[in-house]
Amino acid sequence: MTLSKALVPSQSLLTRALMVLGGTAFIALAAQVSVPMIPVPMTLQTLAILIVGLGYGARMGALTVMAYLAEGAMGLPVFANGGTGLAFAGPTAGFLVGFVGMAWAAGFAADRGVKGAVPVALVALAVSALLYVPGLAWPALVMGKSMPELLSGWMLPFLAGDAVKAVIAALVVSGGWAALKNRA
C-alpha cells in the first residue's frame, strides 16, 4: 500500500485525477525553486518527483510526471525558470524524459512496501543516480558532449544536492507513514 492510498482510500477516477493535478502542480512549483548553474539549473524538481513517486506508487507516479511533461509540451510554464515545451530541445531534455522513470522506480519500491527512513533513502539515492543515464545521454548523443565535460559540468556539481534531496524525500515519506501510524 502506498502513502497516498493510506491517506485517501477512495480510488475513484475523480480522486486520481485530482491527485495527478495536485502532483503536477507540486512538481511545477518545485521546478521554480531554481539555482542558476551552467549548463542546467539545479531545482527542487527531483525532490518533488521522488516524493510523488514514493507517495503515489509506480503507476500513479509515472502518470503524474507524464501529465507534468504534457503540460510543459502544451506551452504551460511548468519547467525550471518558467520553461515550456522548448525545454525538450534544450540541455535538460534527457533529465525531463528521465523523470518518468524516476517516479516509476521510486513508486515501484513503494508499491513493494519499502518503508522507513533508511530503506526509502537508499531507494531514493539509487533512483536519483539512475536519472543521470538519460540525463547525460541526451547531451552526449545530441550535443556531442564528451565524458569529461559531462562529469565535470553535468553531474559532479549536482551529486551532493541530489543526495540531500533524496534524504529529504525519504524523511517526508517516512514521516507521513509515522504520522498515519500515530493518528490511528
Side-chain angles (χ1 to χ4, degrees):
M1 173 177 287
T2 62
L3 183 58
S4 66
K5 287 180 183 173
L7 284 169
V8 185
S10 169
Q11 290 298 302
S12 70
L13 184 58
L14 176 62
T15 301
R16 287 192 230 165
L18 290 173
M19 288 172 57
V20 168
L21 187 59
T24 63
F26 177 53
I27 297 167
L29 287 172
Q32 303 318 307
V33 180
S34 176
V35 176
M37 295 179 73
I38 295 175
V40 296
M42 183 182 299
T43 70
L44 293 182
Q45 277 173 306
T46 52
L47 172 63
I49 290 165
L50 284 170
I51 291 171
V52 166
L54 292 166
Y56 284 9
R59 287 179 33 189
M60 279 291 290
L63 179 66
T64 300
V65 174
M66 286 188 282
Y68 165 71
L69 296 177
E71 290 169 356
M74 291 185 298
L76 294 176
V78 296
F79 299 140
N81 303 316
T84 63
L86 294 175
F88 286 111
T92 61
F95 290 100
L96 291 173
V97 172
F99 287 161
V100 176
M102 181 183 217
W104 183 88
F108 183 81
D111 289 340
R112 299 300 176 270
V114 175
K115 293 181 186 167
V118 173
V120 174
L122 292 173
V123 165
L125 286 167
V127 169
S128 294
L130 287 174
L131 178 62
Y132 285 99
V133 173
L136 298 180
W138 174 263
L141 297 173
V142 177
M143 301 172 71
K145 299 294 180 183
S146 68
M147 189 55 71
E149 287 176 301
L150 292 171
L151 293 177
S152 68
W154 298 70
M155 186 175 166
L156 292 177
F158 299 92
L159 290 177
D162 286 344
V164 169
K165 290 183 273 186
V167 170
I168 291 170
L171 291 173
V172 167
V173 173
S174 61
W177 280 112
L180 275 177
K181 183 180 176 184
N182 291 336
R183 188 174 76 177

